[in-house]
Amino acid sequence: MHRNFRSGRMLAAACVCAFLAQPARSVDMGGVKLDDTVQLANQALTLNGAGVRYKLIFKVYTIALYLPEKKSRLDEILALPGPRRLEIVMLRDISSDDLRKSFMEGLNRTSDQADRTRLLSQTMQLGALFEMAPGLKKGDMLTLDWLPEEGTLCRLNGKQLGDKVPDLAFYNALLKIWLGAHPADTQLRAHLLGEPA
């Protein structure tokens, strides 16, 4: 009886160790593996939602939203303290000019005139960042991170593009491209807000 109890405890301990040793889980979205959590500014961020952006019938990119905690409404997301991340993985090639135009159109579509005027210098700075990229290829990863007290940090395949862009209002304007009242894609918006793909 004593031996069976000790064997049971050893088996349970081995199971716990095996569970803890497993790598972080990931989800597949459009053929892209997305981690359930990422580290940013010494904080763990959770995958809030993800989806694939289509243009006509073609897959353009997979996009994921990481937040300090899961939220299902835009106002809750905009009010969250701490870092945030948008992760975009290209599913086809795109020129830097097309990328810049896409972001500018999105900002114009989802921001009112007052916001566009107030954020003009940051918007121009973002456009200049995209001009530094020779274009994006299938498999390239673009991350747009909000770092509190620092600004928006743009990276292509882990390499920083230009300087950080200040002002949380600017990062929130970027989020509204996908999450605002007039998003790039309503189905994609639902997925980023946590609805199943």
Side-chain angles (χ1 to χ4, degrees):
M1 178 76 169
H2 179 67
R3 183 182 300 169
N4 287 344
F5 178 73
R6 193 166 64 182
S7 296
R9 283 180 58 190
M10 289 175 62
L11 179 60
C15 288
V16 168
C17 288
F19 175 77
L20 293 175
Q22 289 190 4
R25 292 185 306 157
S26 62
V27 295
D28 185 292
M29 186 61 57
V32 175
K33 296 285 186 194
L34 299 169
D35 292 330
D36 274 353
T37 59
V38 296
Q39 286 290 130
L40 182 62
N42 298 317
Q43 186 170 344
L45 301 184
T46 300
L47 179 62
N48 197 74
V52 175
R53 173 72 168 119
Y54 287 87
K55 196 161 188 179
L56 301 176
I57 60 170
F58 302 104
K59 293 179 181 179
V60 182
Y61 55 77
T62 291
I63 183 169
L65 174 64
Y66 290 92
L67 300 172
E69 58 186 87
K70 288 200 171 194
K71 295 293 181 185
S72 60
R73 291 182 10 212
L74 176 61
D75 60 332
E76 296 174 335
I77 292 170
L78 299 184
L80 268 177
R84 307 172 196 165
R85 168 170 285 176
L86 279 169
E87 183 175 292
I88 300 169
V89 180
M90 300 308 299
L91 300 177
R92 62 188 299 114
D93 295 355
I94 183 172
S95 71
S96 58
D97 192 48
D98 285 345
L99 178 68
R100 183 184 57 77
K101 284 180 184 174
S102 177
F103 269 85
M104 297 309 162
E105 287 170 4
L107 286 169
N108 286 330
R109 184 181 62 250
T110 59
S111 303
D112 61 29
Q113 183 60 49
D115 280 343
R116 286 197 295 273
T117 301
R118 186 164 64 88
L119 299 172
L120 181 59
S121 64
Q122 291 97 322
T123 302
M124 291 175 68
Q125 189 177 342
L126 181 72
L129 293 183
F130 290 146
E131 287 174 9
M132 293 178 184
L136 275 64
K137 303 293 185 190
K138 182 178 179 180
D140 281 351
M141 180 191 293
L142 182 70
T143 55
L144 297 166
D145 294 335
W146 170 251
L147 304 172
E149 300 179 16
E150 294 185 54
T152 298
L153 174 62
C154 182
R155 291 190 186 103
L156 177 58
N157 298 323
K159 182 180 177 182
Q160 182 171 334
L161 294 178
D163 297 326
K164 297 183 185 81
V165 182
D167 196 342
L168 178 57
F170 178 71
Y171 193 83
N172 286 342
L174 288 177
L175 287 178
K176 289 177 187 176
I177 293 174
W178 295 276
L179 303 178
H182 306 287
D185 181 317
T186 53
Q187 187 174 15
L188 182 56
R189 177 185 189 272
H191 295 332
L192 290 170
L193 291 174
E195 294 183 16

